[in-house]
Amino acid sequence: MTRSIAIIGAGLAGIAAARALIAAGLAPHLFDKGRAPGGRLATRRAEVDGAKLQWDHGAQYLRARGPGFAQALDDAGAAPWPDAERRVGVPGMSAVPRALAKGIPGSFGRHVGVISGEPGAWFLDHWDAAEAKPGAPLPASAPTRAGPFDAVLVTAPAPQAAELVGPIWPEAATRLDTIRYAPCWTVLASFAEQLPLPDTLRPKGDTIGWAARDSSKPGREAGAECWVIQAGPAFSRQHLEQPAAAVIPLLLAALASHSGAPLPAPRYAQAHRWRYSLLEQGLGAPCLWNPALRLGLAGDWCLEGRAEAAWDSGTAAAAALLA
Ligand SMILES: Cc1cc2nc3c(=O)[nH]c(=O)nc-3n(C[C@H](O)[C@H](O)[C@H](O)COP(=O)(O)OP(=O)(O)OC[C@H]3O[C@@H](n4cnc5c(N)ncnc54)[C@H](O)[C@@H]3O)c2cc1C
């Protein structure tokens, strides 16, 4: 019988693990609370006065240092931007995980709250993601139970992974407690006219950590003048619990300070708060795998706060499971 493996998290780490397991003849199943695969490789869309707008509000560009991720980016049709070394999904960043996850069985919009059972016969209890939130008590409604699974890989960000594995693998949860991420407030804005700014800005020691004319990426509506403005870690921490409405004008003003002139009022502005953005303190190992429990952990937090690290970690977890 084909061994069935549950993978919690369909970001790049989960997708890489699933692809490696399928290649080895196993049957992985992805579970994610998001509506589609991708995790922090994400694209937000909106329509304003008939104009179709979009922004990559998570990872901005992808850089492959090793052959595995380079091949994945080729497979996903990622295009160069803003230079030959860096690449983006077309028509949006989310096209990369969607292409790479094509054909992998998965359950989306499902929050996994409990792992139960025993090694070789694990079960997952999952709820509609609209009802359940990480860090909050589980919903009172009855969950859907999936399984049995021969093994489970958890590829959620470290704090969410710790909640899931803590009751069955407390030593791993202790190691997960040492992982630290910077938060990132991100403003998504669009203007009716072109701003007098270069396509990308990475000011040093500024409110803004990175800002980019997202609509200058390949395959986007070039005239849409869509901007992604990411606050640096210090600003994001200081304003973490503030409402989006308070953060948007501050980041727009910071962008204006780089243009030398007041900016026109945006025709659209939204903000997204990433609690777990770029990694500050990682694990220093490619993954965690417990052969006795048949339980593994992977994610960018194992190695580095970059998409390729997530890919490499997921690949390493699959290799450990198969060994
Ligand atoms: C604002 C921002 C900018 C960035 N910029 C760049 C960049 O320019 N270049 C770069 O290389 N990297 C960048 N990164 C980092 C990069 O996005 C990540 O390193 C990478 O996407 C992490 O992949 P992952 O699979 O480890 O985790 P994730 O992508 O976070 O995937 C984890 C998945 O687990 C799911 N999940 C969690 N808990 C549960 C649960 N209980 N049940 C079901 N599903 C669950 C989540 O929904 C999520 O989809 C950026 C990140 C952010 C946030």
Side-chain angles (χ1 to χ4, degrees), residues 8-15 31-34 36-41 57-63 69 93 110-113 134 155-157 160-161 164 184 186 202 210 230 274 276-278 298-301 304-311:
I8 305 170
L12 278 186
I15 295 170
F31 292 85
D32 202 293
K33 60 189 171 62
R40 280 171 276 165
L41 260 56
H57 60 299
Q60 296 295 292
Y61 52 78
L62 310 170
R63 196 193 294 266
F69 195 49
M93 193 58 99
R110 304 301 300 174
H111 173 97
V112 179
T155 69
Q160 298 166 2
L164 276 167
C184 180
T186 302
R202 194 190 286 283
W210 160 269
Q230 293 178 338
W274 293 99
Y276 310 120
S277 167
L278 294 179
D300 66 342
W301 53 268
E304 247 188 285
R306 301 191 305 117
E308 183 173 26
W311 186 263

Side-chain angles (χ1 to χ4, degrees), residues 46-249:
E47 192 165 332
V48 178
D49 298 335
K52 289 198 170 25
L53 308 174
Q54 68 170 60
W55 302 261
D56 295 336
H57 60 299
Q60 296 295 292
Y61 52 78
L62 310 170
R63 196 193 294 266
R65 295 181 186 159
F69 195 49
Q71 183 63 53
L73 294 183
D74 286 348
D75 291 351
W81 181 93
D83 50 40
E85 302 296 307
R86 294 177 276 180
R87 295 167 73 177
V88 294
V90 180
M93 193 58 99
S94 60
V96 169
R98 273 174 209 248
L100 294 172
K102 199 161 180 228
I104 304 175
S107 301
F108 296 94
R110 304 301 300 174
H111 173 97
V112 179
V114 180
I115 305 173
S116 63
E118 57 188 13
W122 291 114
F123 293 88
L124 304 187
D125 286 354
H126 56 94
W127 284 261
D128 186 328
E131 285 181 62
K133 292 279 168 286
L138 292 170
S141 60
T144 303
R145 179 160 284 193
F149 295 103
D150 171 56
V152 179
L153 293 180
V154 183
T155 69
Q160 298 166 2
E163 274 183 39
L164 276 167
V165 301
I168 44 178
W169 189 8
E171 300 79 12
T174 306
R175 292 188 71 182
L176 287 164
D177 270 352
T178 63
I179 309 298
R180 296 283 171 269
Y181 299 81
C184 180
W185 264 116
T186 302
V187 165
L188 318 174
S190 170
F191 300 86
E193 60 195 84
Q194 194 175 1
L195 304 187
L197 286 165
D199 287 348
T200 66
L201 289 95
R202 194 190 286 283
K204 290 255 176 302
D206 197 82
T207 299
I208 294 178
W210 160 269
R213 179 179 280 115
D214 201 85
S215 42
S216 70
K217 291 178 176 176
R220 275 66 168 177
E221 183 58 56
E225 198 61 7
C226 288
W227 279 81
V228 170
I229 312 160
Q230 293 178 338
F235 176 98
S236 299
R237 278 210 168 87
Q238 196 186 345
H239 297 84
L240 192 61
E241 302 305 337
Q242 293 204 353
V247 169
I248 292 168

Side-chain angles (χ1 to χ4, degrees), residues 17-43:
R19 284 168 65 103
L21 295 176
I22 288 172
L26 273 60
H29 189 101
L30 293 164
F31 292 85
D32 202 293
K33 60 189 171 62
R35 277 174 304 183
R40 280 171 276 165
L41 260 56
T43 304

